[in-house]
mmCIF file of all heavy atoms in Angstrom:
data_model
loop_
_atom_site.group_PDB
_atom_site.id
_atom_site.type_symbol
_atom_site.label_atom_id
_atom_site.label_comp_id
_atom_site.label_asym_id
_atom_site.label_seq_id
_atom_site.Cartn_x
_atom_site.Cartn_y
_atom_site.Cartn_z
ATOM 1 N N SER A 1 0.905 -1.135 -0.005
ATOM 2 C CA SER A 1 -0.011 0.032 0.022
ATOM 3 C C SER A 1 0.899 1.260 0.073
ATOM 4 O O SER A 1 0.521 2.236 -0.571
ATOM 5 C CB SER A 1 -0.965 0.000 1.257
ATOM 6 O OG SER A 1 -0.271 0.019 2.475
ATOM 7 N N SER A 2 2.070 1.269 0.630
ATOM 8 C CA SER A 2 2.818 2.434 0.710
ATOM 9 C C SER A 2 3.517 2.707 -0.740
ATOM 10 O O SER A 2 3.901 3.713 -1.035
ATOM 11 C CB SER A 2 3.978 2.384 1.848
ATOM 12 O OG SER A 2 4.789 1.353 1.564
ATOM 13 N N GLN A 3 3.802 1.652 -1.496
ATOM 14 C CA GLN A 3 4.353 1.713 -2.822
ATOM 15 C C GLN A 3 3.363 2.384 -3.742
ATOM 16 O O GLN A 3 3.769 3.022 -4.692
ATOM 17 C CB GLN A 3 4.772 0.350 -3.354
ATOM 18 C CG GLN A 3 5.728 -0.297 -2.582
ATOM 19 C CD GLN A 3 6.086 -1.775 -3.164
ATOM 20 O OE1 GLN A 3 5.380 -2.232 -4.025
ATOM 21 N NE2 GLN A 3 7.199 -2.263 -2.773
ATOM 22 N N CYS A 4 2.042 2.199 -3.531
ATOM 23 C CA CYS A 4 1.071 2.843 -4.414
ATOM 24 C C CYS A 4 0.385 4.095 -3.815
ATOM 25 O O CYS A 4 -0.734 4.352 -4.173
ATOM 26 C CB CYS A 4 0.023 1.794 -4.772
ATOM 27 S SG CYS A 4 0.848 0.374 -5.671
ATOM 28 N N ALA A 5 1.001 4.599 -2.809
ATOM 29 C CA ALA A 5 0.384 5.808 -2.221
ATOM 30 C C ALA A 5 0.182 7.025 -3.207
ATOM 31 O O ALA A 5 1.195 7.338 -3.997
ATOM 32 C CB ALA A 5 1.208 6.238 -1.010
ATOM 33 N N PRO A 6 -0.916 7.655 -3.150
ATOM 34 C CA PRO A 6 -1.007 8.819 -4.162
ATOM 35 C C PRO A 6 -0.057 9.909 -4.007
ATOM 36 O O PRO A 6 0.178 10.349 -2.780
ATOM 37 C CB PRO A 6 -2.418 9.294 -3.936
ATOM 38 C CG PRO A 6 -3.089 8.503 -2.936
ATOM 39 C CD PRO A 6 -2.089 7.608 -2.354
ATOM 40 N N VAL A 7 0.434 10.513 -4.977
ATOM 41 C CA VAL A 7 1.323 11.530 -4.958
ATOM 42 C C VAL A 7 0.690 12.770 -5.843
ATOM 43 O O VAL A 7 0.069 12.552 -6.756
ATOM 44 C CB VAL A 7 2.758 11.308 -5.434
ATOM 45 C CG1 VAL A 7 3.453 10.326 -4.466
ATOM 46 C CG2 VAL A 7 2.744 10.766 -6.843
ATOM 47 N N GLY A 8 1.053 14.014 -5.472
ATOM 48 C CA GLY A 8 0.581 15.182 -6.264
ATOM 49 C C GLY A 8 1.500 15.349 -7.291
ATOM 50 O O GLY A 8 2.718 15.326 -7.224
ATOM 51 N N ILE A 9 1.049 15.597 -8.559
ATOM 52 C CA ILE A 9 1.788 15.936 -9.610
ATOM 53 C C ILE A 9 1.214 17.136 -10.487
ATOM 54 O O ILE A 9 0.050 17.454 -10.320
ATOM 55 C CB ILE A 9 1.933 14.669 -10.574
ATOM 56 C CG1 ILE A 9 0.467 14.277 -11.081
ATOM 57 C CG2 ILE A 9 2.684 13.533 -9.986
ATOM 58 C CD1 ILE A 9 0.565 13.127 -12.251
ATOM 59 N N ILE A 10 2.097 17.657 -11.274
ATOM 60 C CA ILE A 10 1.691 18.786 -12.121
ATOM 61 C C ILE A 10 2.120 18.329 -13.517
ATOM 62 O O ILE A 10 3.240 17.902 -13.727
ATOM 63 C CB ILE A 10 2.416 20.122 -11.759
ATOM 64 C CG1 ILE A 10 2.000 20.594 -10.405
ATOM 65 C CG2 ILE A 10 2.126 21.203 -12.703
ATOM 66 C CD1 ILE A 10 2.743 21.762 -9.816
ATOM 67 N N LEU A 11 1.245 18.439 -14.461
ATOM 68 C CA LEU A 11 1.544 18.085 -15.906
ATOM 69 C C LEU A 11 1.341 19.184 -16.892
ATOM 70 O O LEU A 11 0.498 20.098 -16.631
ATOM 71 C CB LEU A 11 0.520 16.976 -16.278
ATOM 72 C CG LEU A 11 0.459 15.653 -15.341
ATOM 73 C CD1 LEU A 11 -0.657 15.728 -14.574
ATOM 74 C CD2 LEU A 11 0.375 14.588 -16.347
ATOM 75 N N ALA A 12 2.207 19.165 -17.864
ATOM 76 C CA ALA A 12 2.138 20.134 -19.035
ATOM 77 C C ALA A 12 1.681 19.221 -20.207
ATOM 78 O O ALA A 12 2.368 18.171 -20.497
ATOM 79 C CB ALA A 12 3.454 20.811 -19.375
ATOM 80 N N VAL A 13 0.585 19.692 -20.892
ATOM 81 C CA VAL A 13 0.109 18.995 -21.952
ATOM 82 C C VAL A 13 -0.137 19.802 -23.224
ATOM 83 O O VAL A 13 -0.137 21.158 -23.000
ATOM 84 C CB VAL A 13 -1.220 18.201 -21.611
ATOM 85 C CG1 VAL A 13 -0.970 17.439 -20.478
ATOM 86 C CG2 VAL A 13 -2.282 19.174 -21.384
ATOM 87 N N ASP A 14 -0.288 19.259 -24.286
ATOM 88 C CA ASP A 14 -0.608 20.029 -25.612
ATOM 89 C C ASP A 14 -1.962 20.810 -25.407
ATOM 90 O O ASP A 14 -3.173 20.211 -25.326
ATOM 91 C CB ASP A 14 -0.737 19.064 -26.681
ATOM 92 C CG ASP A 14 -0.946 19.750 -28.044
ATOM 93 O OD1 ASP A 14 -1.349 20.965 -28.101
ATOM 94 O OD2 ASP A 14 -0.942 19.021 -29.040
ATOM 95 N N PRO A 15 -1.915 22.153 -25.322
ATOM 96 C CA PRO A 15 -3.134 22.945 -24.959
ATOM 97 C C PRO A 15 -4.229 22.778 -26.156
ATOM 98 O O PRO A 15 -5.329 22.890 -25.923
ATOM 99 C CB PRO A 15 -2.563 24.373 -24.824
ATOM 100 C CG PRO A 15 -1.240 24.346 -25.407
ATOM 101 C CD PRO A 15 -0.734 23.035 -25.428
ATOM 102 N N ASP A 16 -3.674 22.451 -27.379
ATOM 103 C CA ASP A 16 -4.727 22.376 -28.500
ATOM 104 C C ASP A 16 -5.552 20.976 -28.388
ATOM 105 O O ASP A 16 -6.518 20.863 -29.040
ATOM 106 C CB ASP A 16 -3.793 22.449 -29.775
ATOM 107 C CG ASP A 16 -3.191 23.720 -30.117
ATOM 108 O OD1 ASP A 16 -3.684 24.733 -29.649
ATOM 109 O OD2 ASP A 16 -2.208 23.775 -30.699
ATOM 110 N N ARG A 17 -5.018 20.126 -27.542
ATOM 111 C CA ARG A 17 -5.772 18.828 -27.489
ATOM 112 C C ARG A 17 -6.029 18.619 -25.990
ATOM 113 O O ARG A 17 -6.084 17.463 -25.549
ATOM 114 C CB ARG A 17 -4.767 17.725 -27.941
ATOM 115 C CG ARG A 17 -4.403 17.854 -29.430
ATOM 116 C CD ARG A 17 -3.476 16.819 -29.962
ATOM 117 N NE ARG A 17 -3.702 15.485 -29.451
ATOM 118 C CZ ARG A 17 -2.757 14.556 -29.080
ATOM 119 N NH1 ARG A 17 -1.539 15.044 -29.271
ATOM 120 N NH2 ARG A 17 -3.056 13.466 -28.732
ATOM 121 N N PHE A 18 -6.178 19.711 -25.203
ATOM 122 C CA PHE A 18 -6.286 19.644 -23.769
ATOM 123 C C PHE A 18 -7.289 18.437 -23.303
ATOM 124 O O PHE A 18 -7.049 17.623 -22.465
ATOM 125 C CB PHE A 18 -6.591 20.862 -23.093
ATOM 126 C CG PHE A 18 -6.398 21.063 -21.629
ATOM 127 C CD1 PHE A 18 -5.213 21.091 -21.015
ATOM 128 C CD2 PHE A 18 -7.531 20.852 -20.805
ATOM 129 C CE1 PHE A 18 -5.097 21.199 -19.642
ATOM 130 C CE2 PHE A 18 -7.429 20.779 -19.385
ATOM 131 C CZ PHE A 18 -6.174 21.032 -18.859
ATOM 132 N N ALA A 19 -8.562 18.729 -23.710
ATOM 133 C CA ALA A 19 -9.616 17.851 -23.315
ATOM 134 C C ALA A 19 -9.285 16.312 -23.618
ATOM 135 O O ALA A 19 -9.454 15.410 -22.850
ATOM 136 C CB ALA A 19 -10.983 18.218 -23.893
ATOM 137 N N GLU A 20 -8.815 16.218 -24.798
ATOM 138 C CA GLU A 20 -8.530 14.717 -25.222
ATOM 139 C C GLU A 20 -7.488 14.190 -24.291
ATOM 140 O O GLU A 20 -7.530 13.045 -23.914
ATOM 141 C CB GLU A 20 -8.107 14.833 -26.660
ATOM 142 C CG GLU A 20 -7.433 13.421 -27.235
ATOM 143 C CD GLU A 20 -6.748 13.769 -28.559
ATOM 144 O OE1 GLU A 20 -7.112 14.695 -29.268
ATOM 145 O OE2 GLU A 20 -5.924 12.852 -28.955
ATOM 146 N N VAL A 21 -6.373 14.845 -24.111
ATOM 147 C CA VAL A 21 -5.252 14.473 -23.329
ATOM 148 C C VAL A 21 -5.704 14.195 -21.870
ATOM 149 O O VAL A 21 -5.370 13.155 -21.146
ATOM 150 C CB VAL A 21 -4.116 15.386 -23.447
ATOM 151 C CG1 VAL A 21 -2.977 14.964 -22.386
ATOM 152 C CG2 VAL A 21 -3.594 15.542 -24.856
ATOM 153 N N VAL A 22 -6.472 15.078 -21.323
ATOM 154 C CA VAL A 22 -7.023 15.003 -19.927
ATOM 155 C C VAL A 22 -7.751 13.715 -19.788
ATOM 156 O O VAL A 22 -7.709 12.834 -18.846
ATOM 157 C CB VAL A 22 -7.765 16.226 -19.390
ATOM 158 C CG1 VAL A 22 -8.502 15.963 -18.247
ATOM 159 C CG2 VAL A 22 -6.734 17.368 -19.328
ATOM 160 N N GLU A 23 -8.639 13.421 -20.741
ATOM 161 C CA GLU A 23 -9.508 12.179 -20.730
ATOM 162 C C GLU A 23 -8.600 10.906 -20.714
ATOM 163 O O GLU A 23 -8.743 9.921 -20.013
ATOM 164 C CB GLU A 23 -10.431 12.169 -21.856
ATOM 165 C CG GLU A 23 -11.487 11.171 -21.742
ATOM 166 C CD GLU A 23 -12.421 11.361 -20.479
ATOM 167 O OE1 GLU A 23 -12.477 12.543 -19.986
ATOM 168 O OE2 GLU A 23 -12.789 10.315 -19.764
ATOM 169 N N ALA A 24 -7.541 10.923 -21.577
ATOM 170 C CA ALA A 24 -6.592 9.844 -21.592
ATOM 171 C C ALA A 24 -5.843 9.615 -20.272
ATOM 172 O O ALA A 24 -5.579 8.525 -19.735
ATOM 173 C CB ALA A 24 -5.636 9.989 -22.769
ATOM 174 N N LEU A 25 -5.407 10.798 -19.592
ATOM 175 C CA LEU A 25 -4.732 10.747 -18.283
ATOM 176 C C LEU A 25 -5.615 10.236 -17.236
ATOM 177 O O LEU A 25 -5.257 9.310 -16.350
ATOM 178 C CB LEU A 25 -4.273 12.131 -17.850
ATOM 179 C CG LEU A 25 -3.156 12.666 -18.744
ATOM 180 C CD1 LEU A 25 -3.019 14.218 -18.586
ATOM 181 C CD2 LEU A 25 -1.824 12.004 -18.483
ATOM 182 N N ARG A 26 -7.037 10.513 -17.400
ATOM 183 C CA ARG A 26 -7.827 9.873 -16.253
ATOM 184 C C ARG A 26 -7.862 8.521 -16.530
ATOM 185 O O ARG A 26 -7.958 7.675 -15.545
ATOM 186 C CB ARG A 26 -9.212 10.581 -16.526
ATOM 187 C CG ARG A 26 -9.379 11.969 -15.922
ATOM 188 C CD ARG A 26 -10.779 12.514 -15.799
ATOM 189 N NE ARG A 26 -10.887 13.797 -15.196
ATOM 190 C CZ ARG A 26 -11.230 14.975 -15.638
ATOM 191 N NH1 ARG A 26 -11.684 14.998 -16.889
ATOM 192 N NH2 ARG A 26 -11.301 15.974 -14.883
ATOM 193 N N GLY A 27 -7.973 8.051 -17.759
ATOM 194 C CA GLY A 27 -7.968 6.588 -18.013
ATOM 195 C C GLY A 27 -6.746 5.927 -17.571
ATOM 196 O O GLY A 27 -6.790 4.674 -17.255
ATOM 197 N N ALA A 28 -5.650 6.599 -17.448
ATOM 198 C CA ALA A 28 -4.394 6.028 -16.937
ATOM 199 C C ALA A 28 -4.246 6.069 -15.541
ATOM 200 O O ALA A 28 -3.234 5.775 -14.965
ATOM 201 C CB ALA A 28 -3.125 6.733 -17.687
ATOM 202 N N GLY A 29 -5.232 6.536 -14.815
ATOM 203 C CA GLY A 29 -5.260 6.636 -13.336
ATOM 204 C C GLY A 29 -5.082 7.894 -12.630
ATOM 205 O O GLY A 29 -5.104 7.941 -11.411
ATOM 206 N N LEU A 30 -5.037 9.059 -13.396
ATOM 207 C CA LEU A 30 -5.030 10.303 -12.739
ATOM 208 C C LEU A 30 -6.342 10.830 -12.227
ATOM 209 O O LEU A 30 -7.387 10.792 -12.889
ATOM 210 C CB LEU A 30 -4.461 11.400 -13.722
ATOM 211 C CG LEU A 30 -4.281 12.897 -13.314
ATOM 212 C CD1 LEU A 30 -3.120 12.896 -12.305
ATOM 213 C CD2 LEU A 30 -4.080 13.736 -14.465
ATOM 214 N N THR A 31 -6.275 11.399 -11.014
ATOM 215 C CA THR A 31 -7.374 12.078 -10.380
ATOM 216 C C THR A 31 -7.083 13.603 -10.627
ATOM 217 O O THR A 31 -6.169 14.016 -9.936
ATOM 218 C CB THR A 31 -7.613 11.755 -8.958
ATOM 219 O OG1 THR A 31 -7.835 10.360 -8.840
ATOM 220 C CG2 THR A 31 -8.757 12.472 -8.396
ATOM 221 N N VAL A 32 -7.850 14.247 -11.486
ATOM 222 C CA VAL A 32 -7.459 15.705 -11.684
ATOM 223 C C VAL A 32 -8.017 16.472 -10.554
ATOM 224 O O VAL A 32 -9.171 16.450 -10.076
ATOM 225 C CB VAL A 32 -8.234 16.169 -13.046
ATOM 226 C CG1 VAL A 32 -7.988 17.562 -13.363
ATOM 227 C CG2 VAL A 32 -7.650 15.269 -14.254
ATOM 228 N N THR A 33 -7.197 17.491 -10.022
ATOM 229 C CA THR A 33 -7.581 18.440 -8.954
ATOM 230 C C THR A 33 -7.659 19.822 -9.372
ATOM 231 O O THR A 33 -8.151 20.627 -8.718
ATOM 232 C CB THR A 33 -6.607 18.170 -7.723
ATOM 233 O OG1 THR A 33 -5.302 18.561 -8.143
ATOM 234 C CG2 THR A 33 -6.624 16.763 -7.177
ATOM 235 N N GLY A 34 -6.954 20.134 -10.643
ATOM 236 C CA GLY A 34 -6.949 21.437 -11.094
ATOM 237 C C GLY A 34 -6.665 21.552 -12.552
ATOM 238 O O GLY A 34 -5.812 20.720 -13.035
ATOM 239 N N GLU A 35 -7.363 22.397 -13.328
ATOM 240 C CA GLU A 35 -7.069 22.505 -14.762
ATOM 241 C C GLU A 35 -6.838 24.040 -15.088
ATOM 242 O O GLU A 35 -7.508 24.865 -14.720
ATOM 243 C CB GLU A 35 -8.205 22.014 -15.473
ATOM 244 C CG GLU A 35 -8.501 20.594 -15.347
ATOM 245 C CD GLU A 35 -9.631 20.081 -16.227
ATOM 246 O OE1 GLU A 35 -10.052 20.703 -17.070
ATOM 247 O OE2 GLU A 35 -10.235 19.030 -15.866
ATOM 248 N N GLN A 36 -5.824 24.197 -16.054
ATOM 249 C CA GLN A 36 -5.656 25.490 -16.734
ATOM 250 C C GLN A 36 -5.544 25.222 -18.325
ATOM 251 O O GLN A 36 -4.294 25.225 -18.717
ATOM 252 C CB GLN A 36 -4.487 26.250 -16.107
ATOM 253 C CG GLN A 36 -4.658 26.568 -14.670
ATOM 254 C CD GLN A 36 -3.463 27.402 -14.243
ATOM 255 O OE1 GLN A 36 -2.274 26.929 -14.302
ATOM 256 N NE2 GLN A 36 -3.701 28.540 -13.531
ATOM 257 N N PRO A 37 -6.581 24.991 -18.953
ATOM 258 C CA PRO A 37 -6.523 24.656 -20.303
ATOM 259 C C PRO A 37 -5.813 25.679 -21.230
ATOM 260 O O PRO A 37 -5.120 25.184 -22.129
ATOM 261 C CB PRO A 37 -8.022 24.455 -20.761
ATOM 262 C CG PRO A 37 -8.811 24.410 -19.503
ATOM 263 C CD PRO A 37 -8.083 25.069 -18.441
ATOM 264 N N SER A 38 -5.963 26.892 -20.927
ATOM 265 C CA SER A 38 -5.371 27.849 -21.839
ATOM 266 C C SER A 38 -3.804 27.754 -21.779
ATOM 267 O O SER A 38 -3.060 28.108 -22.690
ATOM 268 C CB SER A 38 -5.929 29.187 -21.543
ATOM 269 O OG SER A 38 -5.488 29.748 -20.269
ATOM 270 N N LEU A 39 -3.243 27.247 -20.582
ATOM 271 C CA LEU A 39 -1.841 27.250 -20.330
ATOM 272 C C LEU A 39 -1.416 25.775 -20.706
ATOM 273 O O LEU A 39 -0.193 25.493 -20.685
ATOM 274 C CB LEU A 39 -1.566 27.588 -18.965
ATOM 275 C CG LEU A 39 -1.800 29.048 -18.524
ATOM 276 C CD1 LEU A 39 -1.537 29.148 -17.043
ATOM 277 C CD2 LEU A 39 -1.024 29.948 -19.382
ATOM 278 N N GLY A 40 -2.247 24.787 -20.742
ATOM 279 C CA GLY A 40 -1.931 23.398 -21.020
ATOM 280 C C GLY A 40 -1.330 22.867 -19.723
ATOM 281 O O GLY A 40 -0.445 22.007 -19.893
ATOM 282 N N THR A 41 -1.807 23.223 -18.581
ATOM 283 C CA THR A 41 -1.345 22.637 -17.387
ATOM 284 C C THR A 41 -2.468 22.063 -16.527
ATOM 285 O O THR A 41 -3.581 22.502 -16.592
ATOM 286 C CB THR A 41 -0.551 23.614 -16.532
ATOM 287 O OG1 THR A 41 -1.334 24.641 -16.148
ATOM 288 C CG2 THR A 41 0.692 24.122 -17.328
ATOM 289 N N LEU A 42 -2.228 21.076 -15.740
ATOM 290 C CA LEU A 42 -3.144 20.508 -14.859
ATOM 291 C C LEU A 42 -2.368 19.919 -13.671
ATOM 292 O O LEU A 42 -1.263 19.557 -13.777
ATOM 293 C CB LEU A 42 -4.121 19.553 -15.494
ATOM 294 C CG LEU A 42 -3.504 18.213 -16.007
ATOM 295 C CD1 LEU A 42 -4.634 17.060 -15.852
ATOM 296 C CD2 LEU A 42 -3.186 18.323 -17.544
ATOM 297 N N SER A 43 -3.178 19.724 -12.543
ATOM 298 C CA SER A 43 -2.590 19.107 -11.459
ATOM 299 C C SER A 43 -3.542 17.941 -11.005
ATOM 300 O O SER A 43 -4.761 17.952 -11.365
ATOM 301 C CB SER A 43 -2.477 20.043 -10.271
ATOM 302 O OG SER A 43 -3.649 20.668 -9.997
ATOM 303 N N GLY A 44 -2.985 16.992 -10.256
ATOM 304 C CA GLY A 44 -3.816 15.947 -9.899
ATOM 305 C C GLY A 44 -3.006 14.946 -8.924
ATOM 306 O O GLY A 44 -1.852 15.294 -8.516
ATOM 307 N N THR A 45 -3.559 13.904 -8.570
ATOM 308 C CA THR A 45 -2.993 12.871 -7.863
ATOM 309 C C THR A 45 -3.086 11.485 -8.522
ATOM 310 O O THR A 45 -3.924 11.326 -9.307
ATOM 311 C CB THR A 45 -3.679 12.687 -6.351
ATOM 312 O OG1 THR A 45 -4.982 12.446 -6.581
ATOM 313 C CG2 THR A 45 -3.544 14.015 -5.604
ATOM 314 N N VAL A 46 -2.068 10.688 -8.303
ATOM 315 C CA VAL A 46 -1.964 9.459 -8.910
ATOM 316 C C VAL A 46 -1.125 8.450 -8.050
ATOM 317 O O VAL A 46 -0.169 8.981 -7.283
ATOM 318 C CB VAL A 46 -1.381 9.530 -10.312
ATOM 319 C CG1 VAL A 46 0.090 9.928 -10.353
ATOM 320 C CG2 VAL A 46 -1.588 8.325 -11.184
#
């Protein structure tokens, strides 16, 4: 359980494909906690 403890992360993604990339990240296990689509950044835990 300690090996899989959630950690906070910040991601930079392609702002032109923001929604598509965020959806793929959620599918890969990311829990999104904040989004800035115009900057192409988001934060979350995983």
Side-chain angles (χ1 to χ4, degrees):
S1 62
S2 66
Q3 290 176 353
C4 297
V7 294
I9 58 171
I10 298 171
L11 302 100
V13 302
D14 180 350
D16 296 328
R17 298 176 41 218
F18 192 83
E20 170 192 341
V21 176
V22 170
E23 196 57 36
L25 289 166
R26 285 188 171 121
L30 179 69
T31 300
V32 176
T33 59
E35 299 181 15
Q36 293 182 311
S38 63
L39 298 176
T41 60
L42 66 146
S43 58
T45 59
V46 67

